[in-house]
Amino acid sequence: MIAWPACRLQIHLPVHAATKVSLMLRTLRLSLSLFFAASAFSVWTGCSDRLPALPPTVPISAKVTLDGEPLQKAQISFSPALPGPASNGQVVNGEVLDLWTNGQKQGVAIGEYTVTIYDQPMEAGAVDLVPDKYGRIREGISVTVTAEGPNQFLFELNRK
Amino acid sequence: MPASRNRKMIGFTLVELLVVIAIIGVLIALLLPAVQQAREAARRMQCTNNLKQLGLAMHNYHDTFGKFPPGVVGRANYDPASSDPQFEKCPPTWMQMILPFIEQGNLYDGMKQHFATGNMAATAPGRFTVIESLTCPSDPNGPKIIDTGASSQWYERWGFNGNYVACSGSDYFTPSGDPNMLNRDGIFYAKSATRFGDIVDGASNTALMSEILLVPYGGASGEVIDLRGGYYFGRRISACFSTQESPNTLVGDRLSTCQSVSYAPCNGQGVDDAVMYARSRHTGGANVTFGDASVRFVSETVARSVFQAYGTRANSETTEPL
């Protein structure tokens, strides 16, 4: 590869030395830029990891109360009625925050859900605020998330 | 004039050179991703081999004791009275039972006495030992060890988490009628003692093991905890999987402590309807060991009903090819 232009350079150097050198430089520059473009392309195609495609999500506005007061701290999940991605978030001072679908996309996909609200961490059991029944999928609260919205929900929990 | 004739005879034109360089550029562009895929192919092959060894270990266990090891060696989600031995509060899983059959006999001998005296797995000696053959090289988060130095004796110090899990069947681990996981339709469940004779569907048509993805421990406050793959946390069935959904499904796993991340989503957290699905970072599916110890790559596009049929041991479905 490298030998060819060098050979050509030797032959014609006495005649058009300056022209040939500039041609060489241009070729070199072109091949270098080609190589970098190719490398960039290969990195782009080869290293990009495929994430599973999720359906489009919509934002949710929800409030949670416990015995009429805003629920201080809990976890909330939207579990789909039909097999599909679930969304998980936090309850902080009665507001539902940080709802992510499959830890990948903010918001909740359109469809029917069972909402469960529960304490965390479950293993340590340090704070037991929310009655266990609200954390069971089969006893959760049914909601429908629509594309039109407004997707505003109020979850009223009772300890009694 | 001879000079110009020479020029036509031996020289290369700029266009020719550029074409050559362009071709090389295209070749490199094609080659580099191929090299990366070759590395992933090698990792997948090692992962397949690990699953094959586990399948053979299960066979050897069966040859020795006449039955497969229990999925969980004790009731799941069970709280013994505080005066009783705490073994069932967090029992060991199938993993500890086959240790002598995957050349980890010394590790097993070290914890045998601990179990025999009624202690729970989450405090077992040797639980922080990484077992290479239970770690899939394709999972960037393995091997995983949980040792947070928390004040609690066992919670958050449950040791080694691996990628390989045993098949509990085609349903949730703990549906409403079976909160302790005592009767599932697969080979491994709590206190199971399945024999080859119980696998009426045929050993080659019934899933034995598969792989999952681990979620790294995170957060200084210890709030980012995930139980999946915890072999010493039998209490929450963290070393089993179900064929209810196809590999790498968008449907989330559900365990009592589960962090939703992009490749390993969760469907809330709870002990009811607990479940885990086969997941991997291999492109397009996951490896599954079947009852005959054969390992097949199951595509994530497999029909749900077909994969479910492979999870059950005695539902007499007609199995379609995967």
Side-chain angles (χ1 to χ4, degrees):
Chain A
M1 267 303 299
I2 296 156
W4 299 339
C7 163
R8 191 175 152 185
L9 194 71
Q10 266 181 357
I11 293 167
H12 301 290
L13 202 58
V15 192
H16 306 293
T19 329
K20 291 296 155 190
V21 168
S22 80
L23 255 178
M24 268 292 295
L25 281 174
R26 256 167 43 194
T27 316
L28 198 69
R29 220 162 50 199
L30 193 70
S31 59
L32 272 177
S33 57
L34 259 173
F35 178 77
F36 281 123
S39 315
F41 177 74
S42 69
V43 166
W44 173 61
T45 52
C47 288
S48 67
D49 222 335
R50 252 170 6 106
L51 267 173
L54 283 178
T57 56
V58 292
I60 297 275
S61 152
K63 293 192 188 307
V64 188
T65 62
L66 182 67
D67 297 334
E69 299 288 314
L71 178 58
Q72 288 305 305
K73 193 175 184 338
Q75 304 271 302
I76 184 165
S77 293
F78 285 66
S79 300
L82 299 169
S87 306
N88 304 286
Q90 317 279 334
V91 180
V92 179
N93 294 329
E95 301 275 344
V96 173
L97 306 172
D98 259 351
L99 262 176
W100 284 76
T101 298
N102 278 12
Q104 189 182 329
K105 217 170 178 183
Q106 246 173 334
V108 180
I110 293 148
E112 284 178 39
Y113 289 90
T114 304
V115 173
T116 52
I117 298 164
Y118 47 89
D119 297 306
Q120 203 203 345
M122 300 209 49
E123 305 302 332
V127 196
D128 195 2
L129 221 58
V130 185
D132 288 352
K133 64 171 178 178
Y134 293 112
R136 293 188 201 115
I137 280 195
R138 283 162 208 264
E139 295 169 52
I141 307 153
S142 294
V143 297
T144 306
V145 177
T146 56
E148 304 83 49
N151 294 323
Q152 290 177 339
F153 305 108
L154 172 63
F155 304 117
E156 293 174 294
L157 317 184
N158 289 301
R159 263 184 282 207
K160 272 154 255 157
Chain B
M1 284 321 270
S4 76
R5 196 174 298 141
N6 275 349
R7 188 177 175 180
K8 272 176 189 157
M9 297 284 282
I10 40 170
F12 286 90
T13 65
L14 189 61
V15 173
E16 280 173 320
L17 274 174
L18 290 182
V19 166
V20 166
I21 290 164
I23 290 170
I24 288 168
V26 169
L27 283 178
I28 290 171
L30 289 173
L31 184 73
L32 276 189
V35 167
Q36 285 160 359
Q37 283 307 302
R39 288 182 167 276
E40 165 53 26
R43 288 192 292 263
R44 190 176 68 214
M45 213 182 284
Q46 194 184 337
C47 198
T48 309
N49 181 45
N50 287 347
L51 274 166
K52 176 76 187 179
Q53 299 303 324
L54 284 176
L56 293 175
M58 288 289 180
H59 275 233
N60 285 339
Y61 184 100
H62 191 285
D63 291 347
T64 310
F65 299 107
K67 61 195 175 197
F68 284 113
V72 182
V73 196
R75 279 164 283 194
N77 300 321
Y78 181 75
D79 285 303
S82 51
S83 54
D84 287 344
Q86 296 298 296
F87 178 78
E88 268 192 296
K89 188 174 177 80
C90 198
T93 58
W94 56 268
M95 189 282 272
Q96 289 83 358
M97 300 301 110
I98 62 160
L99 280 179
F101 301 93
I102 53 171
E103 299 194 331
Q104 295 287 344
N106 294 340
L107 188 61
Y108 179 76
D109 290 343
M111 54 183 75
K112 200 171 161 186
Q113 187 63 21
H114 180 84
F115 295 138
T117 48
N119 291 303
M120 63 170 103
T123 54
R127 67 185 185 279
F128 300 116
T129 308
V130 171
I131 301 163
E132 204 66 40
S133 58
L134 293 170
T135 303
C136 175
S138 292
D139 184 356
N141 297 321
K144 173 181 170 184
I145 290 190
I146 296 297
D147 182 11
T148 64
S151 54
S152 160
Q153 273 294 305
W154 59 285
Y155 176 63
E156 292 189 47
R157 296 196 69 204
W158 69 82
F160 173 63
N161 290 42
N163 289 100
Y164 301 111
V165 287
C167 182
S168 74
S170 64
D171 194 4
Y172 296 112
F173 298 159
T174 52
S176 47
D178 191 4
N180 299 122
M181 204 200 183
L182 289 169
N183 188 19
R184 303 285 81 221
D185 60 2
I187 296 177
F188 298 98
Y189 44 93
K191 302 178 93 165
S192 64
T194 314
R195 296 170 301 124
F196 267 119
D198 300 328
I199 310 174
V200 182
D201 283 355
S204 62
N205 300 325
T206 305
L208 199 66
M209 328 271 314
S210 187
E211 50 184 323
I212 56 159
L213 288 173
L214 301 174
V215 179
Y217 180 88
S221 55
E223 280 179 356
V224 187
I225 312 164
D226 190 284
L227 284 181
R228 283 174 279 187
Y231 292 127
Y232 296 89
F233 219 101
R235 175 178 175 77
R236 302 305 192 192
I237 324 139
S238 44
C240 287
F241 84 102
S242 160
T243 61
Q244 184 167 233
E245 302 291 340
S246 53
N248 299 340
T249 176
L250 282 178
V251 179
D253 301 338
R254 186 172 166 86
L255 279 189
S256 71
T257 307
C258 184
Q259 291 300 322
S260 204
V261 296
S262 21
Y263 285 94
C266 290
N267 180 12
Q269 303 181 83
V271 294
D272 60 306
D273 285 352
V275 73
M276 290 203 289
Y277 302 118
R279 297 184 193 280
S280 85
R281 288 292 281 270
H282 315 312
T283 313
N287 287 310
V288 178
T289 311
F290 291 87
D292 57 351
S294 67
V295 183
R296 274 174 269 172
F297 188 74
V298 179
S299 160
E300 59 197 28
T301 57
V302 65
R304 230 169 140 247
S305 57
V306 172
F307 196 47
Q308 283 173 358
Y310 276 94
T312 60
R313 66 176 190 277
N315 273 28
S316 23
E317 310 96 338
T318 323
T319 46
E320 290 167 52
L322 282 165

